[in-house]
Structure formats: C-alpha cells, structure tokens
Amino acid sequence: MCNTKLRRWCSCLAVTAVMLLVFTGCSNAGVLDPKGPIAEQQRDLMYLSTALCAIVIVPVLVLSGIIIWRYRDRAGRQAKYAPNWAHSTKLEIVWWGIPIIVILAIAIVTARATYALEPSKPIRSEVKPLTVQVTSLNWKWLFQYPEQGIAAVNELKLPQGVPVRFEITADSPMNSFWIPQLGGQIYAMSGMAMTLYLQADELGTYAGYGANFTGTDFAKMVFDVEAVTPERFNQWVSEVKADSPALTQAGYEQLAKPASSKVLTYSSFPDGLFDKIVRKYAGHAHGRPDTPKHDDTGGHAMNHMPDMPDMPDMPMDN
C-alpha cells in the first residue's frame, strides 16, 4: 500500500517537473519573448486575459479535485448526505455573478486592445517609418525596399528602433506573414495590399514564417529577420546595390514560378512592380487589366463576365 502511494506521489512530481521544464526551459519563447512594442502589447493582453480566466478556471479545478476526493467511494465513508438540498440563492449569485463580471472585463479589455492594435495604425515615433513591400510567392518571400531601391528573397533586414510599414500581398495562394517576436500575423492575399506596422527595439535575429499552408514546399517559407543598427542597415543597402544583380521583369516572372529559393538580393527592381502584382488579380474591365472599379459603397465591384454565346433551346420534361 505504501509503495503504491509512493509511486503516485513520484508520478505527480515527475509530471510537475516536466511541465516546469516545458514552460520555463526555453530561452526563446516566441510570442512570450517580444522584441518590439506591438508584440509587447499583444503579450500583455494574453497575460491579462489568462489571469482573468484563471479567476474562474482555477477555483473550478481546485473544487473539482476536492469534491472527487471528498466524495470518493471508500469503506467507512462519513461524507454528509443531504438529498433534499436543492437551491441556494447566495451560491447561485456567486457562481453566476463572478463569471459574468470576468466575461465583461475580458470583453472591455479585448475591445480596447483591438482598436489600439489595429495593424494599419502607425506606431508613434519621431523616426520616419521604413516601407517594406512583401510579396508571398510559392514558396518564398520577396521583400522590396522602395525607398532604397533594392529587393531580397527570404532575407529581411530592419533598422533597430525604426517603425516599419509593411505592405503585404501575394502572387500565389493566400498565405500569412508572421514574425512572432515583433507582432501578430496578417494574411497575404492576391489582389489586396494589407498594411502592418511593426518595430524591432532590440538588436538580434528573429524567425519569420509563412503561417498558412500553401502546398508542397510550405515548410521552406521561413526567413530570418535581422534587426541591425541604422548605420549597419545603410551599409547593407550599399553592399546590395554594389554587389547584387538587378531584378528584371523577366527575372521576376521566373522567380514567381512555384519553387523554393535560397537567400537572394537585388540591386534594383522594375518600377511599380508591387502595384503590378496587386493589380494582377484585382480585376479586368473590357478585356484589359486596369484599376478595379468601385461600387457606390466604396467596395470593389465584381469583375465583369464575358458575354456567353446563345445556347440552343433544350427540350423540357412535362
């Protein structure tokens, strides 16, 4: 009997030790190890939501264990038996009131955070934002720096402490652009240009992902995000301009074909390439690619379908 109890206690201690190692043993915890202001606010929101939920969850789990232990079937059981007890107004108020208050608190906190963390909302800073145009390809990422006039594949360099305005689209199936330590993910969709502001406050290399399954080489859609000093960033731009080939339109069309890719850099790219990629799937009017039409509500109008040839009359069943 003693051996059985000892084994149970040892098992519990072993499980607890494993959980502690899992939750505290990682030096890089991704979203729980933020390196920028957006990721920090998102982490704080997760912590606060978890704490509010714990107000209900922890007591329920503790009481569940106590009840199971207290009222377990055993020889000589002396638990109180009250078959006629049916209702307690005070207890009803407690176990309904507390969850309602918690839910309201979570709703208020989440609503405020949703507006504060709107992806297209600029980050407050005295430094001018850097624009990076991101295109999801099968199965690679193309990063264009329109102000610097350079481009890179599967490599993203950012100056430390500078807000970055990402303009994100896809010339492939829908994907999701995600740098966990800098902020939440956002979809990359063909025919649309999504806006996302992020900022790296600490020097270092962070992992970037394609977080939406897109086929055969989806697992290779990863890239390094290196936060460097502004001086080092300018030096990198100069090196790319001096040592890398130009990305031509024909070169882009070859790059856009489904295939994985190593890290590549380009000293220039065709003017308006990003806008052409966005408009490529945005609609056609009267047989020619053009800016998509808008309806009266400000949304994109549906593409016009070509006239269909007349179909012969078909006999109808009586």
Side-chain angles (χ1 to χ4, degrees):
M1 188 68 175
C2 292
N3 290 336
T4 301
K5 289 184 177 180
L6 181 60
R7 284 197 296 269
R8 288 177 179 174
W9 279 109
C10 290
S11 298
C12 290
L13 290 174
V15 171
T16 303
V18 170
M19 293 178 66
L20 289 173
L21 287 173
V22 169
F23 287 110
T24 64
C26 299
S27 60
N28 185 350
V31 295
L32 299 181
D33 184 26
K35 301 300 182 182
I38 301 301
E40 286 180 356
Q41 294 180 64
Q42 292 173 344
R43 179 205 57 189
D44 293 343
L45 176 60
M46 288 188 288
Y47 281 165
L48 181 56
S49 299
T50 301
L52 290 172
C53 291
I55 295 174
V56 175
I57 294 173
V58 172
V60 169
L61 293 177
V62 171
L63 287 172
S64 297
I66 292 174
I67 291 171
I68 292 172
W69 179 262
R70 170 66 174 163
Y71 295 98
R72 72 191 188 281
D73 188 17
R74 69 185 190 280
R77 184 169 63 91
Q78 298 297 322
K80 183 180 179 181
Y81 178 60
N84 296 322
W85 183 86
H87 177 75
S88 171
T89 301
K90 292 180 180 180
L91 289 177
E92 290 280 355
I93 292 174
V94 170
W95 61 53
W96 281 105
I98 293 177
I100 289 173
I101 293 173
V102 169
I103 290 172
L104 288 175
I106 292 176
I108 293 171
V109 168
T110 303
R112 294 181 62 182
T114 298
Y115 285 102
L117 293 170
E118 160 62 35
S120 61
K121 184 178 180 180
I123 297 174
R124 291 184 180 180
S125 176
E126 296 180 358
V127 183
K128 179 185 175 182
L130 169 72
T131 298
V132 178
Q133 296 170 331
V134 182
T135 304
S136 171
L137 302 170
N138 267 348
W139 289 277
K140 60 193 82 74
W141 292 95
L142 173 63
F143 302 105
Q144 297 170 239
Y145 296 78
E147 296 166 352
Q148 289 72 29
I150 64 170
V153 174
N154 292 342
E155 182 182 37
L156 180 61
K157 275 188 169 52
L158 306 176
Q160 176 196 16
V162 176
V164 181
R165 172 189 167 91
F166 289 102
E167 297 175 356
I168 304 167
T169 192
D171 195 356
S172 66
M174 182 176 72
N175 210 315
S176 187
F177 177 78
W178 190 26
I179 308 172
Q181 290 182 274
L182 298 186
Q185 58 183 298
I186 189 169
Y187 283 118
M189 295 179 280
S190 57
M192 298 182 68
M194 310 297 290
T195 301
L196 173 67
Y197 277 89
L198 298 177
Q199 179 176 308
D201 286 339
E202 297 183 24
L203 300 176
T205 301
Y206 314 120
Y209 302 95
N212 202 59
F213 181 73
T214 56
T216 305
D217 285 335
F218 155 76
K220 297 180 180 179
M221 288 196 69
V222 295
F223 55 93
D224 286 335
V225 183
E226 187 176 359
V228 298
T229 62
E231 294 76 18
R232 175 67 187 110
F233 176 78
N234 293 331
Q235 181 183 352
W236 174 71
V237 171
S238 299
E239 292 172 354
V240 171
K241 284 184 172 292
D243 302 332
S244 302
L247 176 63
T248 62
Q249 184 63 40
Y252 171 76
E253 293 172 0
Q254 181 66 31
L255 184 68
K257 294 181 179 179
S260 59
S261 175
K262 61 181 181 180
V263 173
L264 301 170
T265 54
Y266 300 97
S267 59
S268 65
F269 51 84
D271 290 339
L273 176 60
F274 184 80
D275 292 336
K276 291 178 183 177
I277 296 170
V278 174
R279 292 199 303 269
K280 179 178 179 181
Y281 300 99
H284 296 267
H286 305 293
R288 54 181 181 146
D290 206 346
T291 303
K293 292 186 176 182
H294 296 270
D295 58 22
D296 293 336
T297 63
H300 293 300
M302 297 295 290
N303 296 339
H304 294 287
M305 297 296 292
D307 295 334
M308 300 297 293
D310 294 335
M311 300 296 292
D313 294 334
M314 301 296 292
M316 303 293 291
D317 292 335
N318 292 328

